[in-house]
Amino acid sequence: MEKQTRIMTEDSKYIQQHLANERTYLAWIRTAIAITGIGFLIINLHIKSSFRSLPNIAVQGIGALSVLAGISTIIFSTISYFQKAKQINEQTFRTSRPLILFLSILMLLVLSMFGVYFFAVLL
């Protein structure tokens, strides 16, 4: 019987960390899909005959911002994924504070706009 030789790659030294990085990336992608879906849902549920009215403009703005937030989440999480993979191999891992801060502010803006619109319609 031949003895199999295993070649250790840089990535194989830190398999657990790379798998965790992939799970985190996929969670970001699921979040981006949900955010984008909410944006489309908001726009489609509120379409009326008068597209130039203030409520329709507000809803379109909220929906567009939500779609932008989803696209931004995909872009920034992909960049973050590759940066983290490199940092794991180099053992120089750093947290993604700017990414988290940017996406949190963007989502707070979307939710605030939606909340203001929602309560303005109820009153």
Side-chain angles (χ1 to χ4, degrees):
M1 258 193 226
E2 262 181 56
K3 183 180 176 183
Q4 291 182 339
T5 57
R6 293 185 183 180
I7 300 172
M8 292 285 287
T9 64
E10 193 67 33
D11 288 346
S12 64
K13 291 180 188 177
Y14 308 105
I15 291 173
Q16 294 290 340
Q17 289 86 350
H18 285 292
L19 292 173
N21 189 26
E22 287 181 19
R23 286 190 300 271
T24 302
Y25 174 70
L26 293 174
W28 278 110
I29 295 300
R30 284 190 301 271
T31 302
I33 291 168
I35 293 167
T36 305
I38 289 169
F40 283 121
L41 180 69
I42 290 170
I43 291 171
N44 288 327
L45 287 179
H46 195 281
I47 292 179
K48 290 186 179 178
S49 60
S50 173
F51 284 99
R52 297 215 182 256
S53 69
L54 186 59
N56 281 335
I57 292 171
V59 167
Q60 289 173 357
I62 294 168
L65 189 60
S66 182
V67 171
L68 175 69
I71 292 169
S72 297
T73 302
I74 291 171
I75 292 168
F76 290 124
S77 63
T78 302
I79 292 168
S80 177
Y81 170 78
F82 287 112
Q83 287 176 342
K84 283 185 177 109
K86 182 179 176 187
Q87 291 170 354
I88 289 169
N89 286 336
E90 295 173 350
Q91 295 183 333
T92 60
F93 179 78
R94 293 187 191 127
T95 60
S96 305
R97 286 187 182 106
L99 170 66
I100 300 298
L101 185 61
F102 172 74
L103 293 174
S104 296
I105 290 170
L106 197 55
M107 285 313 303
L108 284 173
L109 184 61
V110 169
L111 292 174
S112 298
M113 288 175 64
F114 185 68
V116 167
Y117 173 77
F118 182 72
F119 286 114
V121 169
L122 287 180
L123 298 176

